[in-house]
């Protein structure tokens, strides 16, 4: 499961790849200026002068064009991988790539396959492998999993058909933590002055997007955790609005009251029924 670093793409190799796709000289000039914009570093000592330099490699971190430029450049790694002399043929390997992150799937992860990937990325393309992400994982029903694009992938034995091995994918732990952080941001104490229906609307927008993205595989447990955490955060927000406290109206339970406020609850069926637009 290798990964590369956008800040290691050499400009002298990236720009020719861009020229193969873009013919307008003015656009090419703007891209070059954007890549070579000076980087200013604050002085290390008090009263010292700031240092500046022009980068010779990499794309600006968080730049809107960074994923696009990574795709333009790493396209040639895809081509080399699927050539007749590439591992797609002699190792029967499969490459799954999204921008600068990718996964190589093969029944046997031999040294020759590792050597090919490292040689093409580092020697031929001038990139640096992200050692924190690059690792070899053996998937089996008894252990082994990896995270990719917010999902955790693993294998398990089917409960209904003995001897059959199935693939399991669900939202990763990091994806859940990011979801909790966003809900916590939308229901923080600094939002007590905002109308409840406005906060509910913002939360529903987030839940629809988050839930739709993670609707593949088996997201039910993650949905339950998100639903419970969202309900608790909304109730805490309501309790902080007045010194007299807050109580759910008599004759209603928590779920009924949250539904009356308009809060949606994530469930997999809602995306099949197009109930969450």
């Amino acid at each position: 499961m290798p990964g590369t670093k956008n800040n290691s793409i050499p400009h002298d190799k990236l720009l020719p790849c861009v020229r193969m796709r873009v013919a307008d000289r003015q656009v090419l000039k703007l891209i070059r200026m954007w890549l070579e914009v000076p980087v200013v570093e604050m002085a290390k000592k008090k009263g010292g002068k700031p240092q500046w330099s022009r980068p010779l490699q990499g794309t600006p971190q968080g730049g809107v064009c960074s994923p696009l430029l990574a795709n333009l450049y790493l396209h040639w790694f895809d081509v080399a991988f699927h050539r007749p002399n590439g591992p797609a043929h002699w190792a029967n390997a499969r490459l799954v790539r999204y921008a600068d992150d990718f996964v190589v799937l093969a029944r046997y992860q031999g040294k020759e396959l590792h050597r090919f990937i490292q040689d093409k990325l580092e020697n031929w393309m001038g990139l640096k492998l992200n050692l924190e992400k690059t690792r070899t994982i053996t998937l089996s029903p008894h252990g082994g999993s990896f995270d990719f694009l917010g999902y955790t992938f693993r294998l398990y034995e089917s409960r209904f058909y003995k001897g059959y091995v199935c693939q399991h994918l669900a939202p990763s732990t990091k994806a859940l933590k990011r979801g909790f952080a966003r809900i916590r941001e939308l229901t923080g104490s600094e939002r007590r002055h905002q109308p409840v229906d406005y906060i509910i609307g913002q939360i529903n927008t987030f839940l629809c997007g988050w839930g739709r993205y993670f609707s593949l595989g088996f997201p039910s447990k993650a949905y339950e955790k998100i639903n419970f955490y969202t309900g608790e955060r909304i109730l805490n927000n309501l309790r902080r609005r007045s010194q007299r406290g807050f109580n759910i109206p008599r004759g209603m339970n928590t779920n009924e009251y949250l539904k009356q406020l308009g809060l949606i609850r994530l469930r997999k069926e809602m995306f099949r029924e197009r109930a969450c637009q």
Side-chain angles (χ1 to χ4, degrees):
M1 182 181 174
T4 60
K5 295 182 178 181
N6 265 8
N7 57 9
S8 66
I9 301 178
H11 293 173
D12 59 342
K13 293 186 177 182
L14 172 61
L15 290 172
C17 293
V18 177
R19 283 197 291 269
M20 296 178 67
R21 296 278 184 170
V22 180
D24 192 310
R25 293 184 179 181
Q26 295 298 322
V27 175
L28 291 171
K29 182 179 178 181
L30 288 173
I31 294 176
R32 181 188 293 274
M33 293 171 61
W34 180 68
L35 289 173
E36 297 178 354
V37 64
V39 177
V40 180
E41 297 181 4
M42 300 303 295
K44 297 181 180 180
K45 296 182 180 180
K46 187 175 181 180
K49 294 183 179 180
Q51 302 293 325
W52 69 275
S53 61
R54 291 186 182 274
L56 300 177
Q57 63 182 24
T59 58
Q61 187 72 21
V64 293
C65 286
S66 294
L68 176 60
L69 294 176
N71 277 332
L72 285 174
Y73 191 59
L74 286 170
H75 163 75
W76 298 105
F77 176 70
D78 300 350
V79 172
F81 192 93
H82 291 94
R83 282 174 179 167
N85 60 345
H89 296 274
W90 51 259
N92 196 25
R94 298 292 181 268
L95 173 65
V96 182
R97 184 176 64 81
Y98 184 85
D100 60 335
D101 289 331
F102 60 91
V103 174
V104 176
L105 308 174
R107 187 173 296 274
Y108 302 105
Q109 295 275 348
K111 293 183 179 179
E112 189 175 359
L113 178 58
H114 296 172
R115 193 180 305 113
F116 175 89
I117 295 173
Q118 187 172 4
D119 177 68
K120 289 299 180 183
L121 291 176
E122 296 188 343
N123 299 330
W124 184 50
M125 305 190 74
L127 297 172
K128 293 181 181 179
L129 282 174
N130 190 333
L131 298 179
E132 295 179 357
K133 292 184 177 181
T134 303
R135 54 197 176 109
T136 301
I137 301 169
T138 301
L139 295 182
S140 71
H142 307 291
S145 65
F146 68 92
D147 294 349
F148 186 58
L149 301 181
Y151 279 92
T152 296
F153 296 81
R154 63 180 180 86
L155 300 179
Y156 70 99
E157 293 182 354
S158 175
R159 295 180 296 175
F160 305 102
Y161 303 99
K162 291 185 178 180
Y164 281 84
V165 177
C166 305
Q167 178 179 273
H168 182 279
L169 65 156
S172 66
T173 302
K174 289 184 178 179
L176 268 175
K177 288 182 178 179
R178 288 194 293 266
F180 292 153
R182 179 56 178 161
I183 294 169
R184 188 163 56 248
E185 178 184 347
L186 293 174
T187 56
S189 58
E190 67 279 1
R191 293 177 177 263
R192 287 178 295 179
H193 66 283
Q194 296 178 341
V196 177
D197 56 348
Y198 175 76
I199 294 177
I200 295 292
Q202 286 194 313
I203 293 175
N204 285 346
T205 300
F206 166 75
L207 291 178
C208 280
W210 194 92
R212 185 180 297 280
Y213 179 82
F214 290 109
S215 61
L216 298 176
F218 303 90
S220 298
K221 289 185 178 179
Y223 283 177
E224 290 176 3
K225 293 179 180 179
I226 288 288
N227 288 334
F228 178 80
Y229 186 77
T230 303
E232 289 296 310
R233 291 294 304 180
I234 291 176
L235 293 179
N236 287 338
N237 181 279
L238 293 174
R239 294 187 186 104
R240 297 192 191 103
R241 289 174 176 258
S242 174
Q243 295 180 352
R244 292 177 295 180
F246 165 80
N247 292 309
I248 296 175
R250 290 185 177 181
M252 300 182 67
N253 58 37
T254 302
N255 290 334
E256 291 173 344
Y257 180 68
L258 293 174
K259 184 177 180 180
Q260 186 184 67
L261 292 178
L263 179 69
I264 65 171
R265 290 183 58 84
L266 291 179
R267 52 187 179 84
K268 193 168 183 178
E269 294 75 15
M270 67 192 303
F271 299 104
R272 295 175 183 172
E273 301 166 358
R274 299 183 181 273
C276 188
Q277 299 292 340

